[in-house]
Amino acid sequence: MKIILFKIVFSSVLIILLAYITTLLISVKYKSINSNKNIKIIERLTLGVDKQFLLIKLFQNYYLIYISKNGAQVIDKIDSINSNEKDVDCKDKHSNLMDILLKKITTS
């Protein structure tokens, strides 16, 4: 009886350990595939289920892009961004995509 219980516990631990190692390997592989040095999403503003604005950095240029279910459009190439907005990570919630949008709307 003890041997059967030991085999069940050992098998369960082994399966959990193999699943954990597999998950780690997949995540490392996914990160290496998706690491892109030339394009970076600075900020994303979702307007609805299928509509959003993106501020992206492509090489050294910034672009404002509108994406909908009908496709994507480059709204404008942004020549300069204030120094406090440069290289803002996508996770930073204090970047100013809305300010950039408002400036583009009011100057147009």
Side-chain angles (χ1 to χ4, degrees):
M1 183 68 165
K2 289 182 180 180
I3 295 176
I4 295 174
L5 184 60
F6 176 75
K7 286 182 180 181
I8 292 173
V9 171
F10 181 75
S11 299
S12 299
V13 170
L14 185 63
I15 290 171
I16 291 171
L17 184 63
L18 287 173
Y20 178 73
I21 292 171
T22 303
T23 304
L24 285 178
L25 291 174
I26 290 172
S27 69
V28 167
K29 181 86 169 169
Y30 180 76
K31 284 180 185 178
S32 68
I33 290 172
N34 286 333
S35 65
N36 198 338
K37 297 177 184 177
N38 296 325
I39 188 168
K40 186 176 189 182
I41 296 176
I42 303 297
E43 191 167 350
R44 180 186 316 248
L45 177 64
T46 303
L47 302 174
V49 175
D50 59 347
K51 299 174 188 164
Q52 53 185 288
F53 280 104
L54 295 176
L55 178 62
I56 65 165
K57 180 179 180 184
L58 180 61
F59 298 106
Q60 298 302 318
N61 301 316
Y62 293 87
Y63 295 92
L64 186 60
I65 298 175
Y66 174 72
I67 298 176
S68 69
K69 65 180 177 182
N70 297 330
Q73 285 183 308
V74 175
I75 301 296
D76 199 6
K77 178 181 176 186
I78 300 171
D79 296 325
S80 65
I81 293 182
N82 296 338
S83 61
N84 63 345
E85 295 173 2
K86 282 190 178 178
D87 295 329
V88 177
D89 192 7
C90 180
K91 298 171 188 163
D92 184 8
K93 301 298 181 196
H94 302 293
S95 56
N96 296 324
L97 178 59
M98 190 58 98
D99 292 340
I100 294 170
L101 285 171
L102 290 174
K103 287 178 191 174
K104 290 299 175 186
I105 291 171
T106 56
T107 58
S108 296

